[in-house]
Amino acid sequence: MDVTYGTNNAGMELFAVLAELDGTGVPLAYLFLEKPSLEDGSKKSDPGAVIGVLCQFLTPLKDAGFDPKFFGCDKDTSEIAAAKLVWPTATIQLCFWHAKRAIRKKLKDSTKTNTQSHYFPADVEEFIPDLEICWGSEPIRRPDGIHRCGRCNCASRTGKFNDKGRLEPDKEERETVLQMFERHYNMHPLIPDQNGTYRSSNAIHRESIREIYTWCRARNYFRLWAYLWINWYKLGQWELWARAANEKEIAVLKTTMIVESHWRKIKHDYLHRFNRPRIDMVVWILISRAIPQAVERMKALLSGDSRLGERCSKGNGRKM
């Protein structure tokens, strides 16, 4: 599932749900969603309300018999929450491209943030027993006892740092971080490591946390470590992007590019002649152009006629 903007003169967001068939996308449903404008002109809505609307949008698909094993999306909390409510057993799979882009953007960002205020080292101890509790953590966030009052043996117990700061890696180190993340993203219990060993999902999670922590600790990058732990590696976040979260199966797709390709086709082939057309025009294009062509392509793929499927993919959208 994904959302796109700028398709109509009403300013409504357009959501789409696509199924994967032989590596191509088949549209299942569309939703136009309007968010009310605030006094400053921006558009913002209650996340709970959006989740409710998306649940109503997805429920008919479930009632029709669609029961996905994997649900791909970007890191939109409303989409994730709605998918979990409608299909509790489905594995959420964040788009690898969007995840990597989000990390890269954060690494480049020069804005100073206070990530440490959300870092609780006690949560990490479960995965790293020899964790240095006082490193990069605010005293009030440390577990009760000797670490809070500075009577521990941590090498960094007396260290001080500014409340706000930017992430530490330079340009070359950013690529190293992204490479580690990519490796952790692709690990899976069904894929052996370089030694031919098959590891459990829990073992992969622990090894990934240990590797990224060790790398950050060796360079004293406590802000980077806190950011990665809070947003990507702790329980509740890791399951959303790591392919190892589902021990029994591996998702066919790693990205939401089939949806992005669908948006590109609609905008470039059908909407390129119009500057923010009316809603009814967009609906007519979806019903009379985009959906029939996708159905024809699906039938061609199911029948084994790959050449017909290619012709359907190219289409004749510019002849309207």
Side-chain angles (χ1 to χ4, degrees):
M1 181 164 69
D2 193 29
V3 60
T4 190
Y5 310 90
T7 62
N8 57 88
N9 63 354
M12 291 187 177
E13 300 175 359
L14 177 57
F15 286 81
V17 177
L18 274 72
E20 180 271 334
L21 176 64
D22 287 347
T24 65
V26 180
L28 301 178
Y30 296 97
L31 166 70
F32 285 100
L33 179 63
E34 181 180 16
K35 294 182 178 179
S37 299
L38 301 179
E39 293 181 358
D40 60 0
S42 62
K43 291 189 175 183
K44 190 176 181 180
S45 58
D46 181 4
V50 176
I51 294 172
V53 172
L54 292 180
C55 284
Q56 296 178 50
F57 171 52
L58 297 175
T59 299
L61 293 176
K62 179 181 179 180
D63 296 340
F66 290 99
D67 186 21
K69 295 180 179 179
F70 294 92
F71 189 92
C73 61
D74 55 23
K75 208 175 184 182
D76 184 288
T77 55
S78 298
E79 294 179 14
I80 294 171
K84 285 183 174 181
L85 289 172
V86 177
W87 292 294
T89 60
T91 300
I92 303 296
Q93 185 73 69
L94 293 187
C95 171
F96 172 67
W97 184 85
H98 282 95
K100 197 172 180 180
R101 184 183 69 168
I103 296 176
R104 179 180 282 110
K105 181 179 179 181
K106 182 65 177 179
L107 291 174
K108 290 181 178 179
D109 192 3
S110 59
T111 304
K112 294 183 179 181
T113 58
N114 188 15
T115 309
Q116 310 310 118
S117 63
H118 304 284
Y119 174 57
F120 294 86
D123 298 337
V124 189
E125 273 192 299
E126 178 184 349
F127 301 92
I128 307 178
D130 58 341
L131 173 77
E132 186 176 339
I133 298 291
C134 296
W135 178 64
S137 63
E138 298 177 349
I140 195 163
R141 311 296 177 192
R142 300 168 189 168
D144 291 335
I146 59 175
H147 292 287
R148 282 201 178 185
C149 58
R151 292 186 300 212
C152 59
N153 295 321
C154 295
S156 56
R157 67 182 184 279
T158 59
K160 296 182 179 181
F161 53 84
N162 295 327
D163 292 339
K164 293 185 177 182
R166 60 168 297 175
L167 302 188
E168 301 94 342
D170 58 28
K171 185 176 182 179
E172 292 184 359
E173 290 174 325
R174 293 171 197 162
E175 293 304 315
T176 302
V177 173
L178 291 171
Q179 289 171 7
M180 283 193 289
F181 176 81
E182 181 174 355
R183 187 168 63 255
H184 299 162
Y185 183 99
N186 289 310
M187 288 179 176
H188 195 277
L190 298 178
I191 303 175
D193 61 14
Q194 63 270 24
N195 298 318
T197 303
Y198 291 89
R199 298 158 296 171
S200 67
S201 177
N202 184 55
I204 290 175
H205 188 197
R206 290 178 177 275
E207 289 175 17
S208 300
I209 293 174
R210 168 69 70 174
E211 180 180 12
I212 203 72
Y213 167 76
T214 302
W215 190 89
C216 292
R217 183 65 187 94
R219 293 158 179 79
N220 197 32
Y221 291 172
F222 59 88
R223 296 190 192 278
L224 173 63
W225 160 245
Y227 162 73
L228 291 172
W229 166 256
I230 294 168
N231 294 281
W232 300 98
Y233 283 87
K234 73 175 184 179
L235 286 175
Q237 296 294 329
W238 183 80
E239 299 89 340
L240 298 178
W241 59 269
R243 308 192 91 188
N246 187 324
E247 288 190 308
K248 299 179 179 179
E249 297 175 287
I250 302 176
V252 174
L253 301 178
K254 292 173 58 177
T255 70
T256 57
M257 288 302 110
I258 60 170
V259 192
E260 301 293 344
S261 176
H262 187 63
W263 293 141
R264 184 168 58 253
K265 187 172 186 62
I266 290 176
K267 292 181 177 180
H268 291 187
D269 288 3
Y270 304 126
L271 299 179
H272 70 288
R273 296 179 182 273
F274 312 100
N275 180 23
R276 296 182 180 270
R278 288 178 14 171
I279 285 280
D280 54 355
M281 180 65 176
V282 181
V283 172
W284 180 82
I285 289 174
L286 294 176
I287 294 175
S288 65
R289 295 291 188 272
I291 296 176
Q293 189 182 89
V295 171
E296 188 178 356
R297 183 174 67 253
M298 178 185 67
K299 290 180 178 178
L301 291 172
L302 291 174
S303 66
D305 190 346
S306 58
R307 290 179 298 176
L308 178 59
E310 290 176 3
R311 291 198 298 270
C312 295
S313 296
K314 294 178 181 178
N316 56 354
R318 292 186 180 272
K319 298 180 181 179
M320 291 184 62

